[in-house]
Amino acid sequence: MANEKVITANELTKKFGDFIAVDKITFDVEKGEIFGFLGANGAGKTTAMRMLCGLSLPSAGQATVAGFDVYKENEKIKKNIGYMSQKFSLYEDLSISENIRFYAGIYGLTDDRIKEKTSQLVKQLSMEGSEKALVRSLPLGWKQKLAFSIAIVHDPAIVFLDEPTGGVDPITRREFWGLIYEASARGITIFVTTHYMDEAEYCNRVTVMVDGRIDALDSPANLMKQYDSKSMDGVFLQLARKAVRKGD
Amino acid sequence: MKQFLIFIKKEWLHIWRDRRTLVILIWMPVIQILLYGFALTNEVKNSKIAIYDQSRDEATTLISNQIAASRYFSLLKNVYSYDDIGATFRQGKIRLAVVFPRNFRYDLLHTNHAQIQLIADASDPNTANMLTNYATSIINDYQATLNRDVAMPYSITTQTRMLYNPELKGAYSFVPGVMALVLMLVCAMMTSIAIVKEKEMGTMEIILVSPMKPFRIIIAKTIPYLFVSMLNIACILLLSVFVLDVPIVGSLWLLIGESILFTVTALSLGILISNGAKTQRTAQFASMMSLFLPTLLFSGFLFPVENMPWPLQVISNVVPAKWYYIIVKNIMIKGLGFSYVWKETLILVGMTVVLLGISIKNFKIRLA
């Protein structure tokens, strides 16, 4: 199943009044890939992702997610994707297992499956014994890992991660990328936005968004060669310098 | 359906874990009913008075005794000069002073005309009015006994009957008012805060990305609050029947049915507010300003709407609590059936449909 495209975008555009947040972006993502979406704050990463998730309607252009059209087959897309926001959105006043149960439940998993998933998840995250702890009391790193595991609890084809590592220390970030690789190995396509350039090097392919446009799309190694730089940081700086738009 | 139940269960956990709010939700109506029922009553009982009797004859003694014996008044003291009256008023000790002039009985019997002066503390105009009315009627009673044996050429007497609330108890109008107030607050404010909280926490995004339909999300979020409101209504009704002696004259089921309808109206208002508000604080403030105050002012339970200037009367028509208040009064106090409240019911149904329509449509637009 190599080269099967799970996301395609063709001149996808989003305008808010006169402001063009996303300007005719064209790309596709292959199955099982870790696809990095880089850009400064305000470059349009989140807006682009929201269009693909069905949270926002495109102004123009075409896109398909998991083979379904973003305009017409929104409901089908929703069944096949997972989403994790930059806020690690969990319910603070619910326990670990209650959070898992709720999110798995709204994706329609059966009771047996939820139980199985819960124990498997808790074990994988080495949170045994803390199932009844309220999320409020957990360290940030735990919340982040839990939020990611919950985003893929229903085994989606694609998971969208919106700046999933904000505010977390480097060690926890590395552990988190371990989880991402594990999910990728299971065949889940990862679509991740970030502005940490070291993370970009963990991705199979990255795009760099500048002012709503995609200015570069390739594997990190090729980009570094193309822009004659030793790190993604260098590549990014060369591209971002062209930006007119200020960050938000 | 199962998704739906899981959602409701989660929502219930939120309410249950937040003990402080839960306690407030349950106790607020109880305290309000007890406050309005006992402490904040607009009845006038045992008002302190002073009597300045310059005549001290058989007639003035009799009238004084009758006034002092009535349940509206209690005699604080006899005073002996106008200065004394002024001083007592200034100290705030009395509400009313009764002044008999010199030679009261002599004037009454020989000139057929005598005067009594009533001086009232009108810094509270309603009370002053009521007190002078009570006192005047006691004096009129005395006059009637004097004239009993005399054939009056013409005489008109009035006979008054107080329908529905013969004892003129304030609780009869407060209970329906508090019901409207509590339901508005619990349903609208709590739902709007609960929905906005999910937006603030970012969990709403995750739910919206899930296959759960927005319409169902809204309904599932509101059902626990509907349940809490029903609990509140039960509390209020039990208290009013067993503690305040306010009976439910009409059909209990009709009353409950109408209350559920009003609750749904309030819930849809809550959803509407949550559409606009970005933070919990905004939602709370918006609910306070746009729901609590209008309910208090325009439902008619504190201030009669008929006495307001016409622009305010027009505004009062869009306040759902006004119609609910009329309905509850008609059913609970007057014992009227559905045929007397169908118009108000229809207005509430109309409001609910419009509000729910707007709020659900807006909710979906944010999605797209």
Side-chain angles (χ1 to χ4, degrees):
Chain A
M1 297 287 269
N3 291 332
E4 187 193 340
K5 294 188 173 33
V6 287
I7 301 176
T8 64
N10 188 14
E11 307 218 317
L12 197 62
T13 303
K14 179 75 185 183
K15 290 181 194 166
F16 297 106
D18 288 338
F19 179 73
I20 303 171
V22 174
D23 193 4
K24 294 184 186 165
I25 57 172
T26 302
F27 64 90
D28 37 55
V29 180
E30 285 165 16
K31 186 176 163 60
E33 200 174 17
I34 300 176
F35 191 81
F37 224 61
L38 315 187
N41 288 333
K45 293 173 305 210
T46 301
T47 310
M49 180 180 269
R50 289 173 69 89
M51 281 191 281
L52 296 175
C53 292
L55 284 173
S56 171
L57 205 63
S59 310
Q62 293 90 43
T64 63
V65 175
F68 301 111
D69 185 72
V70 289
Y71 293 97
K72 292 175 213 140
E73 294 167 304
N74 206 330
E75 295 306 315
K76 285 182 188 156
I77 291 178
K78 284 180 174 182
K79 287 199 178 78
N80 288 289
I81 61 171
Y83 175 72
M84 172 182 171
S85 81
Q86 40 190 321
K87 292 180 192 162
F88 314 156
S89 309
L90 300 165
Y91 292 99
E92 303 258 311
D93 53 346
L94 300 189
S95 70
I96 292 178
S97 59
E98 281 161 351
N99 266 290
I100 298 174
R101 198 184 144 65
F102 170 70
Y103 283 113
I106 60 172
Y107 276 96
L109 267 63
T110 62
D111 283 341
D112 289 343
R113 187 93 182 100
I114 293 175
K115 255 184 218 144
E116 192 187 316
K117 271 280 176 191
T118 306
S119 57
Q120 180 192 328
L121 240 163
V122 167
K123 206 169 150 198
Q124 186 189 10
L125 299 174
S126 8
M127 293 181 187
E128 290 117 320
S130 309
E131 295 96 328
K132 293 222 165 63
L134 296 190
V135 166
R136 188 189 290 140
S137 65
L138 302 181
L140 196 63
W142 282 38
K143 287 187 197 175
Q144 179 204 32
K145 284 185 233 167
L146 184 61
F148 175 72
S149 305
I150 283 175
I152 56 170
V153 73
H154 55 293
D155 295 315
I158 306 153
V159 62
F160 290 90
L161 311 175
D162 190 5
E163 294 186 8
T165 50
V168 186
D169 63 82
I171 297 169
T172 317
R173 262 167 61 196
R174 189 150 306 188
E175 285 173 13
F176 184 73
W177 275 92
L179 284 178
I180 293 183
Y181 274 118
E182 245 169 80
S184 171
R186 271 161 53 200
I188 298 178
T189 307
I190 315 278
F191 187 102
V192 55
T193 71
T194 182
H195 50 235
Y196 291 110
M197 288 309 132
D198 55 328
E199 289 185 351
E201 290 168 33
Y202 297 138
C203 299
N204 298 125
R205 280 195 305 154
V206 296
T207 67
V208 179
M209 269 190 97
V210 178
D211 286 355
R213 294 175 320 260
I214 288 183
D215 276 12
L217 199 174
D218 212 328
S219 66
N222 285 348
L223 284 178
M224 283 188 263
K225 205 182 291 166
Q226 189 184 336
Y227 286 89
D228 192 25
S229 170
K230 285 202 172 59
S231 70
M232 276 307 291
D233 236 3
V235 175
F236 184 69
L237 282 176
Q238 287 185 44
L239 286 163
R241 223 168 265 144
K242 295 187 289 181
V244 191
R245 215 188 266 171
K246 287 268 182 279
D248 52 9
Chain B
M1 196 61 208
K2 195 168 144 273
Q3 289 168 299
F4 197 63
L5 289 179
I6 282 179
F7 205 112
I8 292 176
K9 196 179 154 207
K10 175 220 95 177
E11 204 55 35
W12 184 247
L13 280 176
H14 287 320
I15 299 178
W16 188 244
R17 296 262 158 88
D18 190 359
R19 285 300 160 81
R20 214 162 8 154
T21 310
L22 187 66
V23 167
I24 293 172
L25 286 184
I26 303 294
W27 277 104
M28 186 179 61
V30 172
I31 287 169
Q32 276 193 333
I33 276 285
L34 294 178
L35 265 183
Y36 284 125
F38 289 110
L40 306 175
T41 157
N42 55 7
E43 299 166 53
V44 176
K45 267 187 267 176
N46 294 326
S47 291
K48 298 270 193 303
I49 59 164
I51 293 176
Y52 179 24
D53 187 351
Q54 303 172 55
S55 180
R56 302 210 195 208
D57 54 42
E58 194 192 318
T60 57
T61 314
L62 201 67
I63 296 173
S64 299
N65 285 345
Q66 275 178 6
I67 291 178
S70 104
R71 71 182 172 110
Y72 303 114
F73 302 111
S74 85
L75 179 63
L76 180 77
K77 63 173 176 178
N78 283 300
V79 290
Y80 301 100
S81 72
Y82 273 104
D83 289 345
D84 218 359
I85 293 179
T88 321
F89 266 120
R90 277 194 297 277
Q91 288 163 356
K93 285 187 178 162
I94 54 167
R95 295 282 203 160
L96 184 81
V98 183
V99 183
F100 297 98
R102 229 177 269 275
N103 302 324
F104 178 83
R105 185 173 149 84
Y106 182 88
D107 285 349
L108 187 65
L109 294 183
H110 292 90
T111 68
N112 292 345
H113 184 77
Q115 286 184 312
I116 298 175
Q117 190 181 25
L118 298 176
I119 306 170
D121 174 359
S123 57
D124 180 354
N126 279 334
T127 313
N129 244 329
M130 262 191 268
L131 289 177
T132 52
N133 283 342
Y134 290 146
T136 309
S137 76
I138 292 172
I139 293 163
N140 284 342
D141 281 347
Y142 174 76
Q143 194 181 341
T145 57
L146 277 187
N147 291 333
R148 194 185 304 145
D149 306 326
V150 186
M152 297 277 283
Y154 308 102
S155 100
I156 299 173
T157 54
T158 54
Q159 220 191 13
T160 318
R161 252 186 81 207
M162 295 297 176
L163 280 182
Y164 310 122
N165 182 5
E167 294 169 67
L168 296 179
K169 282 207 273 186
Y172 278 65
S173 74
F174 281 133
V175 168
V178 172
M179 279 171 73
L181 205 58
V182 164
L183 289 185
M184 240 330 149
L185 267 188
V186 171
C187 299
M189 192 151 114
M190 298 319 289
T191 351
S192 64
I193 290 177
I195 294 179
V196 172
K197 190 175 179 187
E198 297 237 11
K199 282 206 249 172
E200 244 183 356
M201 301 295 294
T203 46
M204 188 57 97
E205 271 186 348
I206 313 272
I207 302 172
L208 288 176
V209 172
S210 85
M212 195 152 172
K213 299 253 192 315
F215 177 73
R216 290 193 174 186
I217 296 174
I218 294 186
I219 303 294
K221 271 206 88 70
T222 53
I223 281 182
Y225 291 98
L226 192 74
F227 180 75
V228 173
S229 313
M230 293 297 105
L231 210 66
N232 280 331
I233 294 179
C235 268
I236 295 177
L237 290 181
L238 285 174
L239 276 176
S240 71
V241 172
F242 293 108
V243 180
L244 299 179
D245 289 327
V246 180
I248 301 170
V249 185
S251 152
L252 178 62
W253 294 114
L254 183 57
L255 187 61
I256 292 177
E258 297 280 358
S259 299
I260 294 176
L261 171 63
F262 181 65
T263 310
V264 176
T265 317
L267 289 174
S268 31
L269 264 171
I271 301 168
L272 195 63
I273 289 175
S274 73
N275 281 344
K278 285 210 168 64
T279 63
Q280 293 180 58
R281 197 166 300 197
T282 319
Q284 192 174 8
F285 197 69
S287 311
M288 269 312 217
M289 294 310 286
S290 66
L291 303 177
F292 186 73
L293 284 180
T295 301
L296 206 61
L297 298 179
F298 293 120
S299 65
F301 98 94
L302 281 186
F303 311 105
V305 176
E306 298 83 28
N307 296 351
M308 294 178 180
W310 69 266
L312 293 186
Q313 290 199 32
V314 172
I315 292 175
S316 77
N317 287 329
V318 299
V319 176
K322 176 187 170 178
W323 305 106
Y324 177 67
Y325 179 66
I326 296 174
I327 293 173
V328 175
K329 251 181 131 164
N330 281 345
I331 297 173
M332 196 172 160
I333 310 295
K334 299 189 187 171
L336 303 178
F338 183 67
S339 54
Y340 289 91
V341 294
W342 68 268
K343 243 189 282 177
E344 287 80 7
T345 310
L346 204 63
I347 293 174
L348 275 188
V349 170
M351 284 180 169
T352 311
V353 169
V354 171
L355 287 172
L356 211 56
I358 297 176
S359 44
I360 287 177
K361 188 162 172 280
N362 280 357
F363 197 78
K364 274 189 173 158
I365 284 173
R366 282 193 304 106
L367 235 188

